[in-house]
Amino acid sequence: MEKLVREYIENQPTARQEKLLQLYEIIQKQMPAGYDEKISYGMPTFHYHKNIIHFANFKNHIGIYPGPKAINVFKDQLEGYKTSIGAIQLPVDQPLPEDLITQIVQFNLDNV
């Protein structure tokens, strides 16, 4: 884990750190060799020739930002989540949808 991303997670409330680390690991497993991690727009960002996905902690949810194309492609699977043009709000009181996150990351990688 890149130092800046680790610091981002460590600076979040203790109760959220485990879930943010889990999200980080779900995304990181999908990334190919040669990818970069950085902080972009104040959020941990996975980059491979372009930004693949961002995530961030908020008071009442964890946001993931795969971009509008992914939101549109996965709209049926996202029906239970609050979404906007390029964002998905994951409730903090529910397990992370690992399979869905994996599919979204892979979609974005396939469309680099």
Side-chain angles (χ1 to χ4, degrees):
M1 182 182 315
E2 293 276 334
K3 180 181 178 196
L4 292 173
V5 174
R6 180 176 42 251
E7 287 174 355
Y8 176 90
I9 292 173
E10 290 172 354
N11 285 325
Q12 301 308 308
T14 305
R16 290 282 176 85
Q17 290 179 17
E18 185 176 334
K19 189 161 270 199
L20 290 166
L21 186 58
Q22 181 186 7
L23 176 59
Y24 168 85
E25 291 172 349
I26 291 168
I27 297 168
Q28 190 269 333
K29 280 191 260 181
Q30 302 307 309
M31 298 302 294
Y35 84 95
D36 293 312
E37 296 175 13
K38 60 186 178 177
I39 300 294
S40 184
Y41 303 104
M43 299 179 282
T45 301
F46 289 81
H47 183 272
Y48 185 72
H49 302 295
K50 68 175 189 174
N51 289 340
I52 301 300
I53 193 166
H54 312 271
F55 69 88
N57 183 51
F58 292 93
K59 183 177 180 182
N60 296 313
H61 68 277
I62 294 173
I64 61 173
Y65 302 85
K69 197 174 198 181
I71 300 292
N72 190 48
V73 167
F74 291 94
K75 65 182 173 210
D76 291 342
Q77 292 168 269
L78 292 169
E79 282 185 9
Y81 299 95
K82 188 172 183 179
T83 61
S84 63
I85 291 174
I88 304 163
Q89 292 185 11
L90 303 175
V92 294
D93 61 348
Q94 296 176 20
L96 292 172
E98 185 171 351
D99 290 341
L100 180 57
I101 295 166
T102 297
Q103 290 173 42
I104 289 170
V105 171
Q106 195 58 55
F107 171 80
N108 279 353
L109 286 168
D110 290 345
N111 289 282
V112 168

